[in-house]
PDB file of all heavy atoms in Angstrom:
ATOM      1  N   LYS A   6     121.244 111.579  85.863  1.00 96.00           N
ATOM      2  CA  LYS A   6     121.090 110.137  86.152  1.00 96.00           C
ATOM      3  C   LYS A   6     119.542 109.903  86.488  1.00 96.00           C
ATOM      4  O   LYS A   6     118.994 108.908  85.892  1.00 96.00           O
ATOM      5  CB  LYS A   6     121.889 109.729  87.229  1.00 96.00           C
ATOM      6  CG  LYS A   6     123.368 109.519  86.887  1.00 96.00           C
ATOM      7  CD  LYS A   6     124.065 109.044  88.098  1.00 96.00           C
ATOM      8  CE  LYS A   6     125.672 108.964  87.789  1.00 96.00           C
ATOM      9  NZ  LYS A   6     126.354 108.469  89.022  1.00 96.00           N
ATOM     10  N   VAL A   7     118.965 110.707  87.302  1.00 97.00           N
ATOM     11  CA  VAL A   7     117.546 110.411  87.704  1.00 97.00           C
ATOM     12  C   VAL A   7     116.693 110.622  86.485  1.00 97.00           C
ATOM     13  O   VAL A   7     115.822 109.885  86.306  1.00 97.00           O
ATOM     14  CB  VAL A   7     117.177 111.553  88.732  1.00 97.00           C
ATOM     15  CG1 VAL A   7     115.637 111.564  88.929  1.00 97.00           C
ATOM     16  CG2 VAL A   7     117.922 111.207  90.107  1.00 97.00           C
ATOM     17  N   LEU A   8     116.896 111.698  85.574  1.00 97.00           N
ATOM     18  CA  LEU A   8     116.156 111.898  84.420  1.00 97.00           C
ATOM     19  C   LEU A   8     116.323 110.710  83.443  1.00 97.00           C
ATOM     20  O   LEU A   8     115.332 110.222  82.764  1.00 97.00           O
ATOM     21  CB  LEU A   8     116.479 113.271  83.801  1.00 97.00           C
ATOM     22  CG  LEU A   8     115.997 114.446  84.561  1.00 97.00           C
ATOM     23  CD1 LEU A   8     116.718 115.695  83.842  1.00 97.00           C
ATOM     24  CD2 LEU A   8     114.618 114.542  84.723  1.00 97.00           C
ATOM     25  N   THR A   9     117.439 110.184  83.284  1.00 97.00           N
ATOM     26  CA  THR A   9     117.665 109.052  82.390  1.00 97.00           C
ATOM     27  C   THR A   9     117.015 107.875  82.861  1.00 97.00           C
ATOM     28  O   THR A   9     116.369 107.125  82.217  1.00 97.00           O
ATOM     29  CB  THR A   9     119.294 108.801  82.361  1.00 97.00           C
ATOM     30  OG1 THR A   9     119.950 109.874  81.914  1.00 97.00           O
ATOM     31  CG2 THR A   9     119.545 107.606  81.497  1.00 97.00           C
ATOM     32  N   ILE A  10     116.960 107.540  84.253  1.00 98.00           N
ATOM     33  CA  ILE A  10     116.350 106.482  84.836  1.00 98.00           C
ATOM     34  C   ILE A  10     114.892 106.562  84.591  1.00 98.00           C
ATOM     35  O   ILE A  10     114.184 105.561  84.241  1.00 98.00           O
ATOM     36  CB  ILE A  10     116.766 106.210  86.293  1.00 98.00           C
ATOM     37  CG1 ILE A  10     118.197 105.770  86.434  1.00 98.00           C
ATOM     38  CG2 ILE A  10     115.824 105.261  87.013  1.00 98.00           C
ATOM     39  CD1 ILE A  10     118.834 105.864  87.894  1.00 98.00           C
ATOM     40  N   LYS A  11     114.363 107.737  84.864  1.00 98.00           N
ATOM     41  CA  LYS A  11     112.864 108.013  84.780  1.00 98.00           C
ATOM     42  C   LYS A  11     112.407 107.790  83.299  1.00 98.00           C
ATOM     43  O   LYS A  11     111.446 107.261  82.982  1.00 98.00           O
ATOM     44  CB  LYS A  11     112.511 109.411  85.240  1.00 98.00           C
ATOM     45  CG  LYS A  11     112.455 109.453  86.730  1.00 98.00           C
ATOM     46  CD  LYS A  11     111.835 110.853  87.061  1.00 98.00           C
ATOM     47  CE  LYS A  11     111.509 110.813  88.532  1.00 98.00           C
ATOM     48  NZ  LYS A  11     110.611 111.902  88.915  1.00 98.00           N
ATOM     49  N   ASP A  12     113.323 108.208  82.310  1.00 97.00           N
ATOM     50  CA  ASP A  12     112.985 108.007  80.965  1.00 97.00           C
ATOM     51  C   ASP A  12     112.900 106.512  80.623  1.00 97.00           C
ATOM     52  O   ASP A  12     112.089 106.088  79.803  1.00 97.00           O
ATOM     53  CB  ASP A  12     114.043 108.776  80.021  1.00 97.00           C
ATOM     54  CG  ASP A  12     113.737 108.645  78.627  1.00 97.00           C
ATOM     55  OD1 ASP A  12     112.603 109.019  78.267  1.00 97.00           O
ATOM     56  OD2 ASP A  12     114.529 108.228  77.883  1.00 97.00           O
ATOM     57  N   LYS A  13     113.929 105.772  81.067  1.00 98.00           N
ATOM     58  CA  LYS A  13     113.934 104.335  80.859  1.00 98.00           C
ATOM     59  C   LYS A  13     112.702 103.688  81.427  1.00 98.00           C
ATOM     60  O   LYS A  13     112.116 102.787  80.827  1.00 98.00           O
ATOM     61  CB  LYS A  13     115.235 103.707  81.349  1.00 98.00           C
ATOM     62  CG  LYS A  13     116.358 104.129  80.657  1.00 98.00           C
ATOM     63  CD  LYS A  13     117.778 103.425  81.246  1.00 98.00           C
ATOM     64  CE  LYS A  13     119.017 103.864  80.519  1.00 98.00           C
ATOM     65  NZ  LYS A  13     120.186 103.309  81.169  1.00 98.00           N
ATOM     66  N   LEU A  14     112.408 103.986  82.692  1.00 98.00           N
ATOM     67  CA  LEU A  14     111.245 103.429  83.216  1.00 98.00           C
ATOM     68  C   LEU A  14     109.952 103.698  82.505  1.00 98.00           C
ATOM     69  O   LEU A  14     109.095 102.828  82.211  1.00 98.00           O
ATOM     70  CB  LEU A  14     111.029 104.037  84.740  1.00 98.00           C
ATOM     71  CG  LEU A  14     111.928 103.367  85.823  1.00 98.00           C
ATOM     72  CD1 LEU A  14     111.761 104.203  87.020  1.00 98.00           C
ATOM     73  CD2 LEU A  14     111.495 101.929  86.043  1.00 98.00           C
ATOM     74  N   HIS A  15     109.854 105.040  82.053  1.00 98.00           N
ATOM     75  CA  HIS A  15     108.609 105.347  81.238  1.00 98.00           C
ATOM     76  C   HIS A  15     108.517 104.428  79.996  1.00 98.00           C
ATOM     77  O   HIS A  15     107.498 103.984  79.560  1.00 98.00           O
ATOM     78  CB  HIS A  15     108.676 106.844  80.956  1.00 98.00           C
ATOM     79  CG  HIS A  15     107.632 107.234  80.037  1.00 98.00           C
ATOM     80  ND1 HIS A  15     106.189 107.387  80.452  1.00 98.00           N
ATOM     81  CD2 HIS A  15     107.597 107.571  78.615  1.00 98.00           C
ATOM     82  CE1 HIS A  15     105.519 107.774  79.566  1.00 98.00           C
ATOM     83  NE2 HIS A  15     106.199 107.946  78.425  1.00 98.00           N
ATOM     84  N   LYS A  16     109.719 104.303  79.275  1.00 98.00           N
ATOM     85  CA  LYS A  16     109.689 103.512  78.087  1.00 98.00           C
ATOM     86  C   LYS A  16     109.468 102.032  78.350  1.00 98.00           C
ATOM     87  O   LYS A  16     108.614 101.362  77.698  1.00 98.00           O
ATOM     88  CB  LYS A  16     111.023 103.594  77.379  1.00 98.00           C
ATOM     89  CG  LYS A  16     111.276 104.865  76.763  1.00 98.00           C
ATOM     90  CD  LYS A  16     112.694 105.096  76.102  1.00 98.00           C
ATOM     91  CE  LYS A  16     112.904 106.381  75.461  1.00 98.00           C
ATOM     92  NZ  LYS A  16     114.213 106.634  75.064  1.00 98.00           N
ATOM     93  N   LEU A  17     109.900 101.479  79.475  1.00 98.00           N
ATOM     94  CA  LEU A  17     109.592 100.050  79.837  1.00 98.00           C
ATOM     95  C   LEU A  17     108.155  99.915  80.293  1.00 98.00           C
ATOM     96  O   LEU A  17     107.556  98.886  79.904  1.00 98.00           O
ATOM     97  CB  LEU A  17     110.633  99.670  81.069  1.00 98.00           C
ATOM     98  CG  LEU A  17     112.004  99.414  80.532  1.00 98.00           C
ATOM     99  CD1 LEU A  17     112.815  99.225  81.907  1.00 98.00           C
ATOM    100  CD2 LEU A  17     112.129  98.277  79.709  1.00 98.00           C
ATOM    101  N   GLU A  18     107.604 100.948  80.875  1.00 98.00           N
ATOM    102  CA  GLU A  18     106.108 100.833  81.366  1.00 98.00           C
ATOM    103  C   GLU A  18     105.276 100.794  80.049  1.00 98.00           C
ATOM    104  O   GLU A  18     104.344 100.111  79.988  1.00 98.00           O
ATOM    105  CB  GLU A  18     105.717 102.035  82.230  1.00 98.00           C
ATOM    106  CG  GLU A  18     106.284 101.819  83.513  1.00 98.00           C
ATOM    107  CD  GLU A  18     106.185 103.057  84.491  1.00 98.00           C
ATOM    108  OE1 GLU A  18     105.832 104.172  83.924  1.00 98.00           O
ATOM    109  OE2 GLU A  18     106.495 102.930  85.679  1.00 98.00           O
ATOM    110  N   LYS A  19     105.626 101.601  78.971  1.00 98.00           N
ATOM    111  CA  LYS A  19     104.830 101.732  77.795  1.00 98.00           C
ATOM    112  C   LYS A  19     104.988 100.319  77.022  1.00 98.00           C
ATOM    113  O   LYS A  19     103.939  99.807  76.526  1.00 98.00           O
ATOM    114  CB  LYS A  19     105.395 102.798  76.847  1.00 98.00           C
ATOM    115  CG  LYS A  19     105.214 104.191  77.459  1.00 98.00           C
ATOM    116  CD  LYS A  19     104.162 105.035  77.035  1.00 98.00           C
ATOM    117  CE  LYS A  19     103.838 105.172  75.582  1.00 98.00           C
ATOM    118  NZ  LYS A  19     102.461 105.712  75.437  1.00 98.00           N
ATOM    119  N   GLU A  20     106.187  99.716  77.112  1.00 98.00           N
ATOM    120  CA  GLU A  20     106.402  98.445  76.394  1.00 98.00           C
ATOM    121  C   GLU A  20     105.525  97.371  77.050  1.00 98.00           C
ATOM    122  O   GLU A  20     104.961  96.504  76.419  1.00 98.00           O
ATOM    123  CB  GLU A  20     107.969  98.179  76.407  1.00 98.00           C
ATOM    124  CG  GLU A  20     108.242  96.881  75.737  1.00 98.00           C
ATOM    125  CD  GLU A  20     109.629  96.452  75.803  1.00 98.00           C
ATOM    126  OE1 GLU A  20     110.488  97.277  76.164  1.00 98.00           O
ATOM    127  OE2 GLU A  20     110.059  95.345  75.293  1.00 98.00           O
ATOM    128  N   LEU A  21     105.582  97.358  78.423  1.00 97.00           N
ATOM    129  CA  LEU A  21     104.812  96.446  79.100  1.00 97.00           C
ATOM    130  C   LEU A  21     103.292  96.546  78.913  1.00 97.00           C
ATOM    131  O   LEU A  21     102.652  95.604  78.749  1.00 97.00           O
ATOM    132  CB  LEU A  21     105.162  96.573  80.655  1.00 97.00           C
ATOM    133  CG  LEU A  21     104.285  95.751  81.640  1.00 97.00           C
ATOM    134  CD1 LEU A  21     104.591  94.205  81.397  1.00 97.00           C
ATOM    135  CD2 LEU A  21     104.552  96.107  83.097  1.00 97.00           C
ATOM    136  N   GLN A  22     102.920  97.806  79.022  1.00 97.00           N
ATOM    137  CA  GLN A  22     101.419  98.034  78.651  1.00 97.00           C
ATOM    138  C   GLN A  22     101.130  97.481  77.298  1.00 97.00           C
ATOM    139  O   GLN A  22     100.049  96.909  77.090  1.00 97.00           O
ATOM    140  CB  GLN A  22     101.126  99.516  78.708  1.00 97.00           C
ATOM    141  CG  GLN A  22      99.732  99.926  78.565  1.00 97.00           C
ATOM    142  CD  GLN A  22      99.431 101.386  78.736  1.00 97.00           C
ATOM    143  OE1 GLN A  22     100.255 102.271  78.508  1.00 97.00           O
ATOM    144  NE2 GLN A  22      98.278 101.716  79.287  1.00 97.00           N
TER     145      GLN A  22
END
Side-chain angles (χ1 to χ4, degrees):
K6 285 181 185 177
V7 168
L8 292 174
T9 301
I10 291 169
K11 283 187 165 199
D12 183 54
K13 287 179 184 178
L14 281 171
H15 178 72
K16 288 177 183 175
L17 288 170
E18 287 170 349
K19 299 256 317 158
E20 183 179 350
L21 175 61
Q22 185 178 29

